[in-house]
Amino acid sequence: MKNNFGSKASFLLLCFLLITNYLYSSRAQQCRPSGRIEGKKPPPGQCNQENDSDCCKQGKMYTTYECSPQVTTHTKAYLTLNSFEKDGDGGGPSECDNQYHSDDTPVVALSTGWFNHKSRCHKKITIHGNGRSVEAMVVDECDSTMGCDADHDYQPPCPNNIVDASKAVWEALGVPKDNWGGLQITWSE
């Protein structure tokens, strides 16, 4: 009897430890905010609102992230509209090659965690949305760690789940122009 009780207790303890370890590692893989920054009012004419881009608001607190949700075969994301051309709302040249890109080319910027220190530069991703899919090349980072300054065109930090796409991507997905700007999508490598 005693030996049987010890085996059951050991088994239950092992199960408890395995479940605890699983739950801890699952939580550790979740992306949590890394901080907050306070918005500054942009100097006159310094926030480009092409494509309905937001400008930082004085005193508003903006959440920052150093991570993005885990990449899967169908990573859920939010598609936004960005100009990668000189003087466009994307700000300066693209992070991957220090160049500007035509809005007629299917290119994207990924949130900081997915951009992953340039590891996805010039790689193609497939974007699925509106019942269609399109391949686009990663050329830039949608910075989730900083914002509200001249380097970021006085725009807030990106959320951690953004695929910021050129007009060519929106056209290829067949989204009517009056609906451009925000769309739930999935993407894959």
Side-chain angles (χ1 to χ4, degrees):
M1 273 309 249
K2 256 185 173 179
N3 193 16
N4 192 16
F5 176 76
S7 296
K8 286 182 181 178
S10 295
F11 176 74
L12 287 174
L13 179 61
L14 179 62
C15 287
F16 174 77
L17 291 172
L18 288 172
I19 290 169
T20 302
N21 185 51
Y22 172 77
L23 291 174
Y24 178 78
S25 65
S26 294
R27 277 194 301 255
Q29 291 177 4
Q30 290 178 353
C31 179
R32 295 193 183 343
S34 58
R36 294 167 54 101
I37 61 170
E38 186 174 350
K40 301 173 192 127
K41 184 177 179 182
Q46 292 297 304
C47 181
N48 186 333
Q49 291 186 285
E50 177 187 11
N51 300 319
D52 295 324
S53 294
D54 290 331
C55 294
C56 291
K57 293 181 177 38
Q58 181 71 37
K60 181 175 178 179
M61 297 303 291
Y62 295 94
T63 303
T64 60
Y65 293 88
E66 293 178 0
C67 56
S68 291
Q70 184 175 354
V71 174
T72 66
T73 55
H74 293 286
T75 306
K76 291 181 181 180
Y78 193 69
L79 189 71
T80 55
L81 178 61
N82 185 50
S83 174
F84 294 85
E85 295 183 351
K86 187 169 176 58
D87 299 322
D89 65 332
S94 296
E95 188 72 21
C96 291
D97 55 14
N98 203 34
Q99 301 290 317
Y100 292 99
H101 297 269
S102 169
D103 289 337
D104 297 327
T105 305
V107 293
V108 297
L110 298 178
S111 292
T112 296
W114 290 334
F115 189 68
N116 193 23
H117 308 286
K118 297 187 179 184
S119 71
R120 290 195 167 87
C121 278
H122 299 121
K123 292 186 179 173
K124 298 240 177 155
I125 65 169
T126 303
I127 300 166
H128 310 274
N130 196 41
R132 296 188 185 182
S133 56
V134 60
E135 272 195 354
M137 185 171 60
V138 177
V139 296
D140 206 358
E141 174 183 14
C142 193
D143 198 339
S144 304
T145 65
M146 304 280 291
C148 299
D149 56 16
D151 287 347
H152 297 90
D153 205 25
Y154 292 96
Q155 296 173 8
C158 279
N160 67 345
N161 65 338
I162 297 296
V163 175
D164 207 12
S166 65
K167 293 175 182 177
V169 171
W170 287 88
E171 287 171 353
L173 291 175
V175 177
K177 272 192 176 183
D178 57 340
N179 292 334
W180 286 10
L183 180 68
Q184 295 291 335
I185 57 146
T186 61
W187 67 273
S188 57
E189 294 184 279

